[in-house]
């Protein structure tokens, strides 16, 4: 049985942000994640907007965490080296009758402490964004709004936490949690553990039964996304309920990426912020999401109706969207709590909830990390480490290098001269780096999230077999074991396994 002071359930942006903040302190910390990598839940499928913070009701945790998180992300993007751009956002008012709603949004923003908010005239909006619909009458402008790469931000938190001593257990699904019994406590004194424990492990200690055995922790952080109600309700009398609220998107090719420069929102409705049109930090155009409550916590399929709705509603805000340039579609599930706010508190003794973390959860993650660390610091009188590493270097991005830098990089490591993904211009060197970094990639999707190989126009049609070969070679495993996204997602199944890659390469002349 492995013992920890703190175990975090879930390696999404919330769990990893908490892990990174807690890794400042003298604690033995573990993260339990049911998938094969970080960022496999909602954190990988969202709008990637760092919201300014005018949307949430003043006084709520959502409002507080959003505004603080927005501020922190700017600093963290520098410290931890992940892509982030303050492109600013516009909420459009398309009818004079809607003006009071726009004004109300402005006032909420001021109450929440959002800086530099302004209401723009029709002329100002059109000058800023010529592709916005001609029906626009005014807009709320938030210069502090931004766009981020959710994969890179989550991976950056996780890598930095890992470097500061946090242990990640992947393919480890938590099944049940219970309090340790008195008899067990006497039998297994904490001194027997190889690594030092900093908090007392007593009869109040938790046991977590997982698909990879039993773990023990003094304190649990529940960051299980849409499953956070499951764990909360396992330990608390006061039940909570989380509804998966599905959002569907279309992602457009980079040729459409400059269609707008700011993030363009419609006025928010009952189910949230509505369909937006935004550039991404990688230069694509993203349109969506829908908002539909569903029962199935695994229901991340897209639907004809959902994507039609995205196409129709986005064109109401922005004209001439080149919808023929859609390269893929996807869906994510918001963890909507019945109370309509984040739940960040000690639910029962030594069990801290980070539940109901729907939008703006990505924007809020650093602030949630800070808040949870502060709860634990006070509760257990935590001591800071003197060797905390606050910075991290991200991956080299060959595409962004100058010609001189590229040549220098290839001289240093010739693998950077071998282009694997043509659409995104990703090199063998970058893929090897993605595999050998702390918490390195183990699957095609893991490589995709770290390097963008397979994210471009052909959506991995060309590079998959070559990436699989590199994965197999570097991990020293048979190619048949390479998966798309862990579990049973092997790409090569059936009898003709060995010839698959050769045939594919021959057919595609690569
Ligand atoms: C459509 C949509 C649009 C959004 N847009 C934005 C936006 O633009 N800006 C913004 O700020 N926010 C946005 N959000 C919200 C944001 O994406 C989420 O708040 C955030 O990603 C939640 O992160 P999380 O770590 O709490 O959850 P997740 O990323 O879901 O992580 C939870 C993790 O727990 C793991 N887990 C679950 N059960 C178990 C178990 N039994 N054992 C072990 N591990 C388990 C899961 O595998 C998962 O990795 C959006 C969300 C959606 C769905």
């Amino acid at each position: 049985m492995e013992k920890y002071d703190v175990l975090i359930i879930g390696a999404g942006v919330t769990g990893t942000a908490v892990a990174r903040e807690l890794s400042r302190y003298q604690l033995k910390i573990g993260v339990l994640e049911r998938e094969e990598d970080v960022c496999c839940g909602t954190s990988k499928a969202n709008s990637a907007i760092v919201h300014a913070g005018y949307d949430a009701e003043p006084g709520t945790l959502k409002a507080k965490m959003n505004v603080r998180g927005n501020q922190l992300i700017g600093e963290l993007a520098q410290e931890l080296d992940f892509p982030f751009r303050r492109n600013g956002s516009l909420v459009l008012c398309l009818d004079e009758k809607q003006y009071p709603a726009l004004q109300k949004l402005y006032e909420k923003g001021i109450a929440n402490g959002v800086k530099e908010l302004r209401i723009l005239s029709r002329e100002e909006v059109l000058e800023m964004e010529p592709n916005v619909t001609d029906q626009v009458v005014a807009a709320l402008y938030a210069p502090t709004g931004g766009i981020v790469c959710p994969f890179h931000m989550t991976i950056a938190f996780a890598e930095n936490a890992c470097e500061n001593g946090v242990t990640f257990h992947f393919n480890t699904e938590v099944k049940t949690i219970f309090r340790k019994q008195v008899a067990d406590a006497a039998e297994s004194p904490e001194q027997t553990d190889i690594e030092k424990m900093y908090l007392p492990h007593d009869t109040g200690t938790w046991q977590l039964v997982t698909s990879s055995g039993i773990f023990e922790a003094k304190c649990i952080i529940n960051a299980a996304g849409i499953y956070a109600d499951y764990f909360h309700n396992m330990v608390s009398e006061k039940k909570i309920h989380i509804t998966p609220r599905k959002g569907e998107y279309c992602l457009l090719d980079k040729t459409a990426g400059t269609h707008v420069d700011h993030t363009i929102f419609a006025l928010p409705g009952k189910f949230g912020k509505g369909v937006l049109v935004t550039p991404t930090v990688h230069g694509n155009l993203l349109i969506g999401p829908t908002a539909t409550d569903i029962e199935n916590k695994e229901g991340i399929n897209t639907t004809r109706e959902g994507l039609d709705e995205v196409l129709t509603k986005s064109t109401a805000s922005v004209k001439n969207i080149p919808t023929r340039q859609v390269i893929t579609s996807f869906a994510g599930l918001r963890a909507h709590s019945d109370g309509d706010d984040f739940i960040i508190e000690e639910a029962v003794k030594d069990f801290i909830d980070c539940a109901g973390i729907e939008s703006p959860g990505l924007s809020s993650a650093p602030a949630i990390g800070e808040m949870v660390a502060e709860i634990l610091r006070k509760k257990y009188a935590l001591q800071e480490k003197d060797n905390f590493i606050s910075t991290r270097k991200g991956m080299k991005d060959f595409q962004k290098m100058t010609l001189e830098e590229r040549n220098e990089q290839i001289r240093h490591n010739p693998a950077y001269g071998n282009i694997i993904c043509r659409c995104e211009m990703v090199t063998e060197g970058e893929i090897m780096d993605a595999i050998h970094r702390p918490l390195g990639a183990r699957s095609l999707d893991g490589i995709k999230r770290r390097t963008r190989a397979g994210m471009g126009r052909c959506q991995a049609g060309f590079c998959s077999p070559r990436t699989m070969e590199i994965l197999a070679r570097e991990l020293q495993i048979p190619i048949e074991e390479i998966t798309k996204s862990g579990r049973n997602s092997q790409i090569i199944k059936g009898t003709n396994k060995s010839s698959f890659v050769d045939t594919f390469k021959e057919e595609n002349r690569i």
Side-chain angles (χ1 to χ4, degrees):
M1 177 180 15
E2 289 205 51
K3 291 182 180 183
Y4 288 91
D5 291 323
V6 178
L7 276 174
I8 299 167
I9 308 175
V13 72
T14 308
T16 56
V18 170
R20 195 257 173 183
E21 273 307 304
L22 283 178
S23 70
R24 293 175 186 277
Y25 297 99
Q26 295 180 15
L27 282 173
K28 188 181 172 195
I29 305 166
V31 179
L32 306 179
E33 169 55 55
R34 69 176 187 158
E35 303 295 341
E36 47 97 33
D37 197 358
V38 302
C39 202
C40 289
T42 300
S43 302
K44 77 168 180 185
N46 50 63
S47 310
I49 308 301
V50 177
H51 294 289
Y54 48 75
D55 197 59
E57 286 304 317
T60 60
L61 264 181
K62 277 186 186 173
K64 208 171 131 194
M65 295 292 106
N66 186 166
V67 175
R68 175 76 181 140
N70 176 300
Q71 186 192 338
L72 287 173
I73 286 178
E75 297 159 20
L76 284 168
Q78 302 285 322
E79 270 190 335
L80 300 178
D81 196 14
F82 58 80
F84 166 64
R85 179 159 83 92
R86 265 192 215 286
N87 64 327
S89 64
L90 291 165
V91 184
L92 305 185
C93 175
L94 303 184
D95 181 340
E96 298 281 353
K97 285 194 218 122
Q98 289 181 327
Y99 195 82
L102 194 75
Q103 181 67 29
K104 199 166 164 226
L105 209 55
Y106 169 80
E107 282 158 17
K108 273 206 287 186
I110 298 299
N112 290 345
V114 180
K115 303 262 182 329
E116 302 172 56
L117 272 182
R118 272 193 304 142
I119 292 188
L120 304 183
S121 66
R122 168 190 163 78
E123 290 70 30
E124 285 174 304
V125 179
L126 288 172
E127 196 181 326
M128 246 180 187
E129 287 291 353
N131 283 325
V132 152
T133 173
D134 295 330
Q135 273 143 40
V136 66
V137 292
L140 178 64
Y141 175 43
T144 57
I147 47 180
V148 72
C149 174
F151 318 126
H152 280 244
M153 183 162 93
T154 307
I155 290 165
F157 292 155
E159 281 186 7
N160 188 238
C162 176
E163 219 184 329
N164 284 301
V166 175
T167 307
F168 284 76
H169 296 269
F170 295 114
N171 299 308
T172 301
E173 180 167 3
V174 181
K175 308 269 189 196
T176 320
I177 303 170
F178 59 89
R179 296 259 190 207
K180 189 170 171 178
Q181 299 304 307
V182 182
D184 290 350
E187 271 168 28
S188 52
E190 68 199 68
Q191 292 90 313
T192 57
D193 213 290
I194 306 160
E195 286 183 62
K196 187 163 184 220
M197 311 292 277
Y198 295 91
L199 301 180
H201 281 234
D202 50 28
T203 52
T205 301
W206 295 104
Q207 304 243 320
L208 295 88
V209 182
T210 80
S211 55
S212 312
I214 298 176
F215 289 77
E216 182 180 303
K218 171 71 183 172
C219 175
I220 292 177
I221 314 291
N222 174 19
I226 43 169
Y227 289 96
D229 55 348
Y230 176 71
F231 293 113
H232 170 100
N233 294 340
M234 208 175 268
V235 300
S236 172
E237 292 298 312
K238 203 175 141 209
K239 305 299 177 198
I240 61 170
H241 178 245
I242 288 176
T243 307
R245 182 169 285 175
K246 187 194 278 196
E248 300 183 42
Y249 292 91
C250 294
L251 183 74
L252 279 72
D253 187 49
K254 285 182 171 173
T255 49
T258 53
H259 198 71
V260 292
D261 186 46
H262 300 79
T263 300
I264 312 293
F265 292 98
L267 267 167
K270 186 172 162 247
F271 281 92
K273 294 180 268 292
V275 169
L276 58 81
V277 180
T278 186
T280 72
V281 273
H282 300 291
N284 297 79
L285 191 76
L286 182 67
I287 57 176
T290 53
T292 317
D293 287 350
I294 60 171
E295 296 287 322
N296 180 5
K297 291 194 185 227
E298 302 291 320
I300 53 165
N301 59 307
T302 53
T303 62
R304 169 82 191 257
E305 305 75 53
L307 299 179
D308 280 349
E309 186 186 329
V310 167
L311 294 172
T312 311
K313 288 195 173 163
S314 57
T315 44
S317 302
V318 175
K319 56 193 177 194
N320 305 324
I321 294 177
T323 48
R324 290 184 55 151
Q325 301 295 327
V326 171
I327 55 172
T328 190
S329 59
F330 63 91
L333 301 177
R334 305 167 183 88
H336 178 72
S337 79
D338 287 357
D340 200 20
D341 198 6
F342 295 163
I343 303 166
I344 308 168
E345 61 191 11
E346 186 171 19
V348 297
K349 189 173 170 295
D350 302 321
F351 182 101
I352 318 288
D353 270 328
C354 296
I357 311 297
E358 61 180 331
S359 188
L362 189 68
S363 321
S364 306
I368 296 175
E370 207 178 54
M371 182 176 169
V372 171
E374 189 55 15
I375 294 174
L376 265 68
R377 189 187 67 76
K378 286 196 184 138
K379 187 175 163 56
Y380 303 118
L382 299 181
Q383 301 293 312
E384 283 198 31
K385 290 176 188 163
D386 48 20
N387 58 349
F388 174 70
I389 303 159
S390 63
T391 57
R392 164 246 183 211
K393 193 80 203 106
M395 295 193 42
K396 290 193 170 67
D397 187 341
F398 192 77
Q399 196 180 26
K400 292 214 176 97
M401 291 179 191
T402 62
L403 194 60
E404 290 73 31
E405 286 168 341
R406 285 180 189 168
N407 284 335
E408 181 53 35
Q409 188 59 41
I410 293 167
R411 257 194 298 278
H412 182 67
N413 180 355
Y416 280 84
N418 185 15
I419 304 286
I420 302 297
C421 169
R422 295 178 195 176
C423 304
E424 294 290 316
M425 207 160 68
V426 181
T427 65
E428 183 178 0
E430 288 162 279
I431 293 176
M432 287 165 66
D433 184 20
I435 296 168
H436 295 296
R437 292 177 75 78
L439 307 177
R442 294 289 174 269
S443 65
L444 281 184
D445 281 1
I447 296 284
K448 183 160 89 168
R449 284 190 288 272
R450 285 164 181 79
T451 67
R452 297 189 52 77
M455 285 241 182
R457 185 184 295 209
C458 90
Q459 288 287 298
F462 271 102
C463 60
S464 291
R466 303 178 78 192
T467 308
M468 285 166 68
E469 281 184 325
I470 300 169
L471 269 165
R473 183 189 75 210
E474 297 299 314
L475 297 174
Q476 299 186 3
I477 56 173
I479 198 155
E480 292 84 355
E481 286 179 22
I482 303 298
T483 63
K484 182 179 182 299
S485 52
R487 297 201 209 178
N488 295 323
S489 62
Q490 286 82 2
I491 318 269
I492 306 176
K493 292 187 176 163
T495 49
N496 294 324
K497 289 172 182 174
S498 52
S499 62
F500 167 80
V501 173
D502 291 339
T503 312
F504 186 94
K505 283 163 80 174
E506 213 169 278
E507 280 173 4
N508 292 287
R509 291 198 212 93
I510 51 177

